[in-house]
């Protein structure tokens, strides 16, 4: 495999889709309140995809049965919306992908349900800060490993663990393409980023150990120690000056 560079026109299309994805995620955020079931978020998401005239890129991906992933507390990623009821103090990551005019963008936000404990707020803020610092670091000519290096410094520096089994990825023509984008420093530096590379940066971290397991539904990934996990994600494009966030 190799990196599929995108033209300026393709990046413009991804930016358009990414803006819609941002609006969908933030409309979903507004719905989040204690007592709501994750399936209600899925139903609302389906309406929003329809309203904007874009496809839900996750639906049917390797058989995934829903438009969005709704991962609560100890659920790390890929939790299928269902009967779980959100309670005050929970946190939920909503992850979604948009396919618009044949090109995909991928993004996730983590949202607080009502009031959450200060230690949980700080935990989410650390993940958001790690994503922002990674975005600030990205520019043409750097090796991919620099992204994971800054994320790891921030996350471990704050006393949390990186979930090392889950990584960011190239995105665009398909949901997962090259390059792989680990959230930690690896001996392999990874490829050099060139203008036109599009990829998802997605720090994923746990309050306890970073070990994970998959539940019997074959999708939901949880922390082994059932500690709270958080994920945030943006799709970005490498530009001559640095990088552009496409999902905002
Ligand atoms: N954003 C998720 C990822 O990069 C996409 C999950 S696809 C799904 O892994 F089908 F599992 F939902
Ligand atoms: Co992703």
């Amino acid at each position: 495999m190799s990196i599929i560079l995108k033209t300026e026109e393709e990046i413009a299309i991804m930016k358009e889709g990414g803006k819609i994805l941002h609006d969908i995620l933030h409309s979903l955020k507004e719905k989040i309140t204690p007592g709501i079931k994750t399936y209600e978020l899925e139903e609302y998401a389906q309406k929003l995809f329809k309203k904007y005239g874009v496809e839900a890129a996750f639906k049917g991906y390797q058989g995934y049965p829903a438009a969005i992933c709704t991962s609560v507390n100890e659920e790390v990623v890929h939790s299928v919306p269902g009967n779980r009821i959100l309670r005050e103090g929970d946190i939920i990551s909503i992850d979604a992908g948009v396919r618009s005019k044949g090109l995909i963008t991928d993004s996730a936000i983590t949202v607080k349900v009502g009031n959450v404990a200060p230690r949980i707020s700080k935990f989410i803020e650390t993940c958001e800060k790690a994503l922002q610092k990674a975005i600030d670091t990205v520019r043409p000519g750097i090796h991919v490993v620099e992204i994971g290096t800054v994320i790891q410094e921030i996350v471990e520096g704050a006393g949390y663990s990186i979930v090392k089994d889950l990584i960011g990825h190239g995105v665009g023509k398909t949901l997962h393409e090259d390059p792989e984008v680990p959230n930690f420093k690896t001996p392999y530096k990874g490829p050099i980023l060139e203008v036109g590379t599009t990829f998802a940066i997605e720090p994923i971290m746990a309050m306890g150990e970073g070990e994970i397991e998959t539940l019997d539904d074959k999708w939901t990934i949880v922390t082994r120690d059932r500690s709270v996990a958080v994920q945030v994600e943006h799709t970005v494009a490498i530009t001559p000056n640095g990088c552009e966030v496409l999902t905002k």
Side-chain angles (χ1 to χ4, degrees), residues 73-77 123 152 155-156 159-167 183-184 202-214 221-230:
N73 297 348
E74 78 290 348
E75 295 171 350
V76 185
V77 290
F123 179 55
Q152 185 170 29
V155 171
E156 292 183 350
Y160 308 118
S161 306
I162 303 279
V163 174
K164 291 189 170 169
D165 289 340
L166 298 166
I167 60 176
N183 294 308
F184 52 95
E202 49 182 317
I204 301 168
M205 58 190 238
M207 206 169 261
E209 303 297 322
E211 306 300 319
I212 55 172
E213 62 191 24
T214 306
I221 295 178
V222 296
T223 49
R224 225 178 249 281
D225 63 7
R226 302 298 188 265
S227 68
V228 178
V230 61

Side-chain angles (χ1 to χ4, degrees), residues 186-200:
T186 52
Y188 169 59
K189 286 188 186 161
I192 290 177
L193 293 173
E194 282 180 62
V195 174
T197 308
T198 54
F199 58 100

Side-chain angles (χ1 to χ4, degrees), residues 8-59:
E8 273 181 41
E9 292 72 25
E10 286 170 325
I11 290 172
I13 290 170
M14 289 176 70
K15 197 174 168 184
E16 207 179 275
K19 164 91 175 73
I20 293 173
L21 176 52
H22 171 272
D23 290 352
I24 290 175
L25 289 175
H26 286 268
S27 299
L28 290 167
K29 179 180 176 178
E30 298 298 312
K31 286 268 163 178
I32 290 174
T33 176
I36 196 168
K37 285 185 183 160
T38 54
Y39 192 70
E40 295 176 69
L41 296 173
E42 167 70 16
E43 286 177 327
Y44 186 46
Q46 287 181 13
K47 284 196 187 130
L48 291 165
F49 278 97
K50 207 175 214 161
K51 173 180 147 194
Y52 286 104
V54 293
E55 261 176 81
F58 293 3
K59 183 114 198 212

